[in-house]
Amino acid sequence: MFSIKQVMRLKPFMALRFASSQSSPKTGIVMLNMGGPQSSENVHDYLLGIMTDKDMIQFPFFQNKLGPWIAKRRTPEVKQKYDEIGGGSPIFKWTEKQGQLLCKQLDEQCPESAPHKNYTAFRYVTPFTDEAFNEVLKDGVKRIVVFSQYPQYSCATSGSSFNAIYRHFRKIGFPKDIKLSVIDRWSTNPLLAKTFADLIRKELKQLPEDKQKEAIILFSAHSIPLKTVNRGDSYPSEVGATVQMVMQELNYCNPYQLVWQSKVGPLPWLGPFTDDALKGYVKQGKKTFLLVPIAFVNEHIETLHEMDIEYCKDLAGEIGVKHIRRVPTPNDHPLFIDALTGIVKDHLKNGGGVSHKFLNRCPHCTNVNCYNSKKWYADICNRT
Ligand code: FES
């Protein structure tokens, strides 16, 4: 152990890290995401969570019966996909790493709110939202920043996590002496755009030199049901905004298109779908593509299986695509960690709170959870 004298002799930054690791955190950064099963054994419970979450997906009837039935029926197929990518999702590993790097930079750059500590709060697997917040309270933090790890906001994903937090505190009550604030979306963050632009440039260079200019950049994001879009969900426009920021950063170097993946079930979803777009372009004689996971900040099943295996390997082979590569997700890219740091730093500097956009419901929202949850955030986040 260091003595107090020894600590005083350390450089300021080292002394601060020493303080951070030794004292209880002052500011908790709670990183929200959907999560993914860490082993294929957890696949059924994960699917069950999704299929019975009425914020995420609404069946026209009998959701409490239909949801578990669909989860059970889909489990073997989804389990096999996780087996093919190594047995589980790496989303927890990446979220933890991003959180730790973020807090390290925050400790250096924002000493007034240090020490900072990251917490991962997943919606459908452990660490669940309530587990994460129980740990936050146990640590005795003075301030909580809820930081959505979906850069583009959708009521089905980010909204579902925020509603889960509200329901947790409705049960246990929110402590009067803790300040809560919310970062709900950051689709137009310049460093996020620079991160994707850098990853795209590097991947373009991996294509044969004479093919680099003709490659179509397909920005692929998780689709949502058209019913959700027509309710007024802002996700499609926010994903489009990120795409424009990235292409501007790249000086519109290549042709590009926004496409949508991962449709489930028979109801209509937002298109064009990624696989159909590839087929359509091949019919037009195009043979070179770059897939960009524009709404995912870390690797998981949609990138490692759907993009890498189903599109880049199986489908590309089937339809005669000559050259196709997939751009990695931001993961621990230094620019991305700077982006996360800048977002939280500006949020803390501006006093936190909650955005007007977040508090305003979709024009056709009839979900009572949204009504109650937004009212609760307005009360808690705006109190002094
Ligand atoms: Fe968008 Fe309720 S569905 S606010």
Side-chain angles (χ1 to χ4, degrees):
M1 286 296 281
F2 291 106
S3 69
I4 293 295
K5 267 188 182 167
Q6 284 170 313
V7 171
M8 299 303 284
R9 279 201 297 272
L10 294 172
K11 289 188 176 155
F13 157 64
M14 286 181 69
L16 187 58
R17 290 303 299 162
F18 178 85
S20 301
S21 62
Q22 295 297 304
S23 49
S24 60
K26 188 167 163 189
T27 306
I29 313 292
V30 182
M31 322 235 332
L32 300 185
N33 214 327
M34 170 186 282
Q38 286 196 57
S39 96
S40 58
E41 294 311 304
N42 309 127
V43 168
H44 173 261
D45 290 353
Y46 169 71
L47 291 178
L48 183 67
I50 294 177
M51 292 298 165
T52 51
D53 175 10
K54 290 182 182 159
D55 292 336
M56 160 62 90
I57 196 160
Q58 298 95 34
F59 297 125
F61 42 77
F62 303 135
Q63 183 146 1
N64 290 346
K65 291 218 160 45
L66 212 51
W69 181 78
I70 295 174
K72 196 169 168 200
R73 209 172 59 100
R74 292 204 61 215
T75 295
E77 177 201 336
V78 177
K79 219 169 167 180
Q80 190 184 334
K81 291 185 182 185
Y82 277 100
D83 285 339
E84 286 171 25
I85 63 163
S89 169
I91 190 169
F92 177 73
K93 179 195 88 178
W94 282 119
T95 309
E96 279 288 296
K97 183 159 193 197
Q98 289 160 341
Q100 282 157 11
L101 292 170
L102 159 68
C103 286
K104 182 173 181 281
Q105 296 203 150
L106 286 173
D107 282 351
E108 292 159 28
Q109 296 177 29
C110 308
E112 58 289 348
S113 48
H116 306 83
K117 182 177 171 187
N118 62 299
Y119 301 83
T120 296
F122 285 153
R123 184 68 185 89
Y124 305 113
V125 290
T126 190
F128 288 102
T129 316
D130 51 352
E131 293 169 344
F133 278 92
N134 286 342
E135 198 191 334
V136 174
L137 297 187
K138 202 172 82 200
D139 282 347
V141 303
K142 296 280 170 281
R143 174 167 197 170
I144 303 171
V145 177
V146 184
F147 189 9
S148 171
Q149 292 306 293
Y150 304 99
Q152 303 92 1
Y153 188 96
S154 170
C155 295
T157 52
S158 343
S160 172
S161 282
F162 281 110
N163 286 352
I165 296 170
Y166 152 69
R167 285 195 297 272
H168 177 62
F169 283 111
R170 184 183 59 189
K171 269 189 253 149
I172 67 166
F174 192 80
K176 290 206 168 13
D177 55 343
I178 299 181
K179 188 170 167 48
L180 180 82
S181 61
V182 162
I183 302 172
D184 57 311
R185 69 199 77 208
W186 34 288
S187 62
T188 54
N189 181 269
L191 282 177
L192 174 69
K194 278 186 195 298
T195 306
F196 275 113
D198 184 59
L199 291 165
I200 291 169
R201 269 188 220 105
K202 285 180 180 146
E203 216 54 42
L204 274 173
K205 285 201 184 111
Q206 299 300 314
L207 290 166
E209 217 174 325
D210 60 330
K211 302 290 174 202
Q212 292 174 10
K213 276 275 156 228
E214 69 182 46
I216 299 180
I217 303 177
L218 286 182
F219 291 95
S220 187
H222 202 298
S223 184
I224 54 174
L226 277 186
K227 205 174 152 196
T228 308
V229 178
N230 292 337
R231 202 167 52 210
D233 200 283
S234 57
Y235 175 74
S237 64
E238 294 188 18
V239 176
T242 310
V243 169
Q244 290 308 316
M245 295 277 295
V246 174
M247 285 314 298
Q248 196 175 355
E249 190 63 38
L250 289 168
N251 209 15
Y252 299 92
C253 61
N254 278 63
Y256 65 97
Q257 176 71 39
L258 172 55
V259 292
W260 306 89
Q261 66 178 87
S262 320
K263 175 186 185 291
V264 202
L267 295 174
W269 282 46
L270 178 63
F273 301 119
T274 309
D275 48 355
D276 289 343
L278 282 165
K279 289 178 198 162
Y281 278 132
V282 167
K283 272 194 199 139
Q284 293 175 16
K286 315 286 185 197
K287 294 282 165 72
T288 309
F289 301 93
L290 208 60
L291 284 186
V292 184
I294 193 65
F296 303 108
V297 297
N298 35 43
E299 303 293 351
H300 54 296
I301 190 92
E302 285 85 351
T303 55
L304 299 171
H305 198 281
E306 194 171 353
M307 287 182 151
D308 291 353
I309 300 178
E310 294 169 45
Y311 301 154
C312 292
K313 192 166 152 268
D314 299 347
L315 180 65
E318 217 175 278
I319 62 177
V321 168
K322 286 270 184 301
H323 305 283
I324 184 164
R325 297 189 66 86
R326 201 262 296 176
V327 169
T329 50
N331 301 337
D332 57 351
H333 191 298
L335 277 176
F336 181 65
I337 303 303
D338 285 348
L340 296 179
T341 309
I343 292 163
V344 179
K345 193 175 158 185
D346 289 349
H347 177 79
L348 291 169
K349 204 168 69 195
N350 295 330
V354 57
S355 75
H356 296 299
K357 175 66 180 158
F358 174 79
L359 295 179
N360 196 38
R361 292 161 70 201
C362 296
H364 300 299
C365 171
T366 53
N367 184 345
V368 70
N369 270 333
C370 299
Y371 172 78
N372 289 328
S373 153
K374 286 174 192 288
K375 201 164 159 291
W376 180 80
Y377 281 102
D379 286 349
I380 299 285
C381 296
N382 289 329
R383 74 186 183 192
T384 46

